[in-house]
Amino acid sequence: MSDGDPTERSSTDPDLPAGWTVWNDEPEGRRILAYRPDVFDGDEFPPACMPTLYVAAGAPNRPASEAEYGTTRVWRVEFFLEPEVELVPARTYDTREEAVAGARELAAEFARGELDYRGAYQVPREEYFDELDELTGE
């Protein structure tokens, strides 16, 4: 990653919107995208609250053993705001490439303020939402 502006696009995926970075990318396997890891560092924003997109083999809510590479015909994209807070329901795709493209589109929707992260929480966290609004430019 570059040492420049933390909001610039990741050099490992130039198609990601500003603020998103490739956190992990296993060849032909799982890919993890993280939003602004530079600010979700424990000071203002807790690391557990970092918006994270996961691309992985296998259908949602299935055991990992069923998703061994080469044995699955389904790829999923999951978007979490926190470990137990899913922003949108998991989406499935036929190929890893389609799932990666789907993850990029979700990242772009989030960056444009098109996804309602307030609605994902059962217990409102207004102070956190205000700070997240500021971070995302809303």
Side-chain angles (χ1 to χ4, degrees), residues 30 56-69 71-76 78:
R30 186 170 68 159
N61 303 318
R62 302 298 305 159
S65 61
E66 291 183 11
E68 293 179 29
Y69 178 70
T71 63
T72 184
R73 293 197 168 103
V74 176
W75 286 83
R76 71 181 180 278
E78 296 173 298

Side-chain angles (χ1 to χ4, degrees), residues 14-54:
D15 295 326
L16 285 176
W20 286 91
T21 189
V22 176
W23 192 262
N24 184 41
D25 193 19
E26 300 167 7
E28 301 305 313
R30 186 170 68 159
R31 176 180 250 211
I32 302 171
L33 305 177
Y35 183 72
R36 297 294 307 268
D38 60 305
V39 298
F40 287 90
D41 62 2
D43 294 334
E44 288 185 60
F45 295 96
C49 293
M50 182 171 58
T52 308
L53 278 156
Y54 296 89

Side-chain angles (χ1 to χ4, degrees), residues 1-6 8 11:
M1 262 198 298
S2 122
D3 290 333
D5 180 357
E8 69 186 31
S11 61

